[in-house]
Amino acid sequence: QVWQIRLDMHLLNHDGNITDAASIAGIVALCHFRRPDVSVQGEEVTVYTPEERDPVPLSIHHMPICVSFAFFHQGTYLLVDPTEREERVMDGLLVIAMNKHHEICTIQSSGVVMLLQDQILRCSKITAVKVAEITELIQKALENDQKARKEGGKFGFAESIPNQRITAFKMESAAVDTNDVEEQAGEIIAKADPPSEVSASPVVHTPGTAQIGEGLESSWGDLEESEKEEAAEEEGESEAAAFECEKVETEDTSTLKETKSDEPIVVSDSEEEEVVILEPQELPRKTR
């Protein structure tokens, strides 16, 4: 028998970057959760109530935390933890999930921007710093909750429910005017400090796709060229073979025309030195 755990998330307020918020909420919920203690004796399974035995936590080996990066101006500028309005005008989004041991758990890229290797490495270094900070905050919050429970008090979410503090920052949806976005973005970029290194503007071959890597040059072209060369060689060989066959057929046809006369054909055998005279109608197919 096993425990089946289902994790549900309900959005009370969304102001952008819901992926990071959901990953933090999910991992904290799993770390905070306690299951009933169980004992097994033979085939008899006993599930103890919280009054009989203290519930036990899950075995959480590591905490993967997501960090999102928004890219603007074809990847020239990046922004950590974008808001909902920033997500509407960004060119691409990169989400890196990492634990405090600097182990990358997953990478997800979306949008119409192609990222270079240096950009990915830079984002991974920023992620390592942010994950260490968030993991430390999570551990402190769990320790404070455990301490408050031992003292008989409430902490965090349980403390906020009676005062309705969890909905205090609720915002109504507002329309965003995007008429002068390009002009405003141009002014902001002109006033901002230029980056240390400016990469050439990559070309996105298919709209709506995201690619990670150098991207400016494709190695598939070399394979296509080699395939074209092989196809040209095969075509040349087939043409040469067809030419030889045509040449042989032409020679055979001329020979056949010469053998269609009414004169007898003399076949000589060099080994036995015998001469055989054949009539035209008795000409074997092999001599054609």
Side-chain angles (χ1 to χ4, degrees):
Q1 295 184 0
V2 297
W3 289 104
Q4 181 181 5
I5 301 175
R6 188 182 71 182
L7 180 62
D8 296 330
M9 297 188 185
H10 301 275
L11 272 65
L12 302 178
N13 180 22
H14 173 38
D15 192 29
N17 197 9
I18 192 61
T19 303
D20 294 8
S23 69
I24 296 173
I27 193 65
V28 172
L30 293 175
C31 293
H32 186 267
F33 175 73
R34 299 292 187 273
R35 66 169 178 82
D37 195 6
V38 179
S39 66
V40 180
Q41 295 180 355
E43 296 182 355
E44 183 179 357
V45 179
T46 304
V47 180
Y48 298 96
T49 61
E51 289 76 14
E52 296 174 341
R53 287 190 183 182
D54 292 337
V56 295
L58 301 176
S59 298
I60 306 295
H61 301 288
H62 67 103
M63 293 187 291
I65 304 298
C66 293
V67 179
S68 298
F69 299 89
F71 292 91
F72 303 88
H73 197 54
Q74 288 295 327
T76 305
Y77 303 95
L78 66 86
L79 179 67
V80 184
D81 190 11
T83 63
E84 191 265 342
R85 293 190 177 185
E86 291 166 344
E87 288 180 348
R88 293 190 182 187
V89 296
M90 66 183 180
D91 294 334
L93 180 69
L94 177 66
V95 181
I96 301 179
M98 183 185 295
N99 56 23
K100 65 178 182 179
H101 305 293
H102 297 182
E103 296 174 345
I104 295 179
C105 304
T106 182
I107 294 180
Q108 181 183 6
S109 178
S110 59
V112 292
V113 61
M114 297 171 61
L115 303 179
L116 302 178
Q117 182 179 0
D118 295 339
Q119 293 172 317
I120 302 297
L121 294 176
R122 182 186 177 190
C123 293
S124 64
K125 293 178 181 178
I126 298 175
T127 301
V129 177
K130 299 298 293 182
V131 167
E133 296 176 356
I134 296 173
T135 303
E136 185 178 357
L137 292 175
I138 291 174
Q139 291 175 348
K140 287 183 179 180
L142 293 173
E143 291 174 0
N144 293 336
D145 179 80
Q146 187 175 4
K147 181 179 178 181
R149 286 174 178 272
K150 286 183 178 180
E151 296 175 356
K154 295 181 180 181
F155 178 77
F157 187 76
E159 184 184 12
S160 303
I161 292 178
N163 300 327
Q164 296 183 353
R165 288 173 54 188
I166 57 177
T167 58
F169 299 102
K170 182 178 179 182
M171 298 174 59
E172 299 295 335
S173 59
V176 178
D177 186 10
T178 59
N179 294 327
D180 301 332
V181 169
E182 295 183 359
E183 297 179 0
Q184 295 177 5
E187 295 177 359
I188 294 173
I189 293 174
K191 295 179 181 179
D193 296 332
S196 57
E197 295 182 1
V198 180
S199 303
S201 299
V203 179
V204 181
H205 298 284
T206 305
T209 60
Q211 301 177 12
I212 297 178
E214 295 297 338
L216 298 179
E217 295 182 1
S218 176
S219 59
W220 290 97
D222 300 336
L223 298 178
E224 293 177 357
E225 292 295 332
S226 60
E227 291 177 357
K228 290 180 179 178
E229 292 177 359
E230 292 179 358
E233 291 178 359
E234 293 178 357
E235 185 177 357
E237 292 176 358
S238 60
E239 290 179 356
F243 178 76
E244 290 294 334
C245 293
E246 183 179 356
K247 183 178 179 182
V248 172
E249 290 178 358
T250 305
E251 293 177 354
D252 293 344
T253 305
S254 61
T255 304
L256 179 61
K257 290 180 179 178
E258 293 176 358
T259 56
K260 283 187 176 180
S261 60
D262 297 333
E263 299 178 358
I265 299 175
V266 180
V267 179
S268 174
D269 191 347
S270 59
E271 294 182 359
E272 301 180 0
E273 297 181 356
E274 293 182 359
V275 178
V276 181
I277 300 176
L278 301 177
E279 296 296 331
Q281 63 272 13
E282 298 177 1
L283 182 63
R285 295 180 62 85
K286 200 177 285 188
T287 59
R288 296 177 59 187

